[in-house]
Amino acid sequence: MNSVKILIVEDEQLVADDLRETLEHLGYIVPALVASGEEAITKAETLRPDLVLMDIRLEGKIDGIEASFAIQSRFNLPVVYLTANADRATLERAKASKPFGYIVKPFDERILATTIEIALARHQTELKVKEALMAAQNNQQLTESKSHAKSQQFYMAAHEFRNPLTTIRLSSEMLKTYGEQMSEQRKQNHLNRIVSATDSLTNLLENILTLGKAESGSFVFNPKLMNIVSFCEEIINSWRLSLKEQYEVKFLTNTTNFTANLDEQLIWHLLNNLLSNAVKYSPKGSKISLLLTCEESSVCFQVKDQGIGIPPEFQAKLFEPFQRANNAATIPGTGLGLAIVKRCVDLHKGTIYLDNTISQGTNFVVKLPLVNRD
Ligand code: ADP
């Protein structure tokens, strides 16, 4: 009770002094005595007392009830009336201002103390209820916005399926209806379109399933000791094989041998997605490099290309599912690869960013901390 501050609003000096003495005797702090409603509002704002003890008839233009309305609504402070006015009309007006107590003068010390304690306790309870309601409301809003984001993702996924399906449908209709009259070359063109549309559907489906796994929590972080240098070498060799010298694929590292506690599967998704983007968004004949820097407490991967680059205005959306930059519109893609990469980085508690210092192309920098490294 000791640090409870009570502001006294009373225009009769003698009563005010008597009240201050009683309250201080009861262990409360009285930071100020004021005589008008206007002053009461100002002091309530600057002193932020725990409770206001308010007379109704006051000096100045506004009475205690009007001041109480302002204090409760603006500063959410409890007000207890202490007044000689006990007529019906005043009581009705006072009731409308929802006071925390109403004491008729001359006051009894015990009644004063009990009323103040009950008012303080009720105010605390009301604050807690309000806080709980706000938290529940915020939770509901969060759930609603999450479920909105989810349905948006479903909508976008469905939309991405439409183009390849339309291609398959059109080309197979053409083959079915006009196949016999078609030249071998045209037939081949339609078949090629069907194969490539099927490939993009498979790719899309795989990415959606991977992202779904990541988001549902079944993409668990399962680190084990691995030689990260030879792992990267294997990945780069398999890219070199599949690209058949169409790109100059480089692997650079600051060490020949480094064992680190990392999740092999997540690193595989991470590097393959970044390398596949580097290839997809770069012209043939250009250079693609993976730079691995191993340090005592972290490993850093940099995947660099000389391609179309990422426009600055798109960078804020880079890791959101189904988002694609305008300059990539004519290049097939699902907009899911970087969202998967981000989940892999997050599971390692690492960071990923786009290095803006390069003049051409893209350089993604991924830094993963190492824990329990042997
Ligand atoms: P996508 O399947 O479209 O490549 P990602 O999630 O992997 O999906 O990438 C999201 C977008 O980021 C791409 O559509 C592209 O606009 C941009 N992007 C990603 N990597 C690169 C890169 N190496 N060069 C240029 N743009 C890139």
Side-chain angles (χ1 to χ4, degrees), residues 215-326:
E215 292 200 334
S216 68
S218 49
F219 223 43
V220 284
F221 180 52
N222 190 12
K224 52 181 200 266
L225 286 178
M226 60 187 283
N227 186 334
I228 189 66
V229 182
S230 52
F231 186 80
C232 287
E233 262 161 8
E234 274 170 38
I235 289 187
I236 287 296
N237 284 339
S238 87
W239 274 99
R240 280 189 187 127
L241 269 179
S242 70
L243 293 172
K244 298 191 189 97
E245 300 188 356
Q246 294 177 90
Y247 292 83
E248 194 188 333
V249 185
K250 293 255 176 221
F251 175 49
L252 306 151
T253 172
N254 66 339
T255 169
T256 49
N257 199 353
F258 194 84
T259 310
N261 207 18
L262 298 165
D263 185 313
E264 207 170 290
Q265 209 194 352
L266 298 181
I267 302 286
W268 186 90
H269 280 297
L270 189 160
L271 291 178
N272 277 308
N273 272 304
L274 291 179
L275 287 164
S276 124
N277 279 348
V279 172
K280 199 161 61 176
Y281 298 110
S282 304
K284 288 200 174 119
S286 62
K287 190 159 89 180
I288 284 158
S289 59
L290 169 63
L291 169 64
L292 171 70
T293 315
C294 302
E295 279 163 5
E296 192 50 40
S297 58
S298 67
V299 290
C300 176
F301 306 96
Q302 292 190 52
V303 177
K304 193 168 172 182
D305 64 55
Q306 300 174 316
I308 60 171
I310 298 181
E313 68 277 7
F314 178 69
Q315 291 176 13
K317 293 185 177 167
L318 208 51
F319 302 108
E320 287 177 25
F322 300 106
Q323 298 292 336
R324 308 201 65 221
N326 287 340

Side-chain angles (χ1 to χ4, degrees), residues 116-137:
I116 289 173
E117 284 307 300
I118 290 175
L120 289 170
R122 196 184 115 200
H123 183 60
Q124 281 308 314
T125 313
E126 284 188 8
L127 285 181
K128 281 192 187 127
V129 170
K130 255 187 209 158
E131 258 170 40
L133 278 174
M134 293 271 283
Q137 221 168 24

Side-chain angles (χ1 to χ4, degrees), residues 191-206:
L191 286 172
N192 285 345
R193 268 182 224 150
I194 293 174
V195 170
S196 113
T198 316
D199 282 349
S200 32
L201 278 180
T202 313
N203 186 23
L204 177 61
L205 206 59
E206 267 172 19

Side-chain angles (χ1 to χ4, degrees), residues 8-12 34-41 53-68 71 81-83 85 105:
I8 297 176
V9 189
E10 171 63 68
D11 63 346
E12 281 178 51
V34 295
S36 72
E38 291 85 346
E39 267 182 293
I41 298 170
L53 205 51
M54 178 86 79
D55 189 7
I56 291 182
R57 211 162 277 161
L58 294 169
E59 286 174 4
K61 289 199 179 111
I62 61 171
D63 71 2
I65 297 176
E66 282 170 80
S68 167
I71 288 172
Y81 292 118
L82 177 60
T83 176
N85 301 82
K105 287 181 199 164

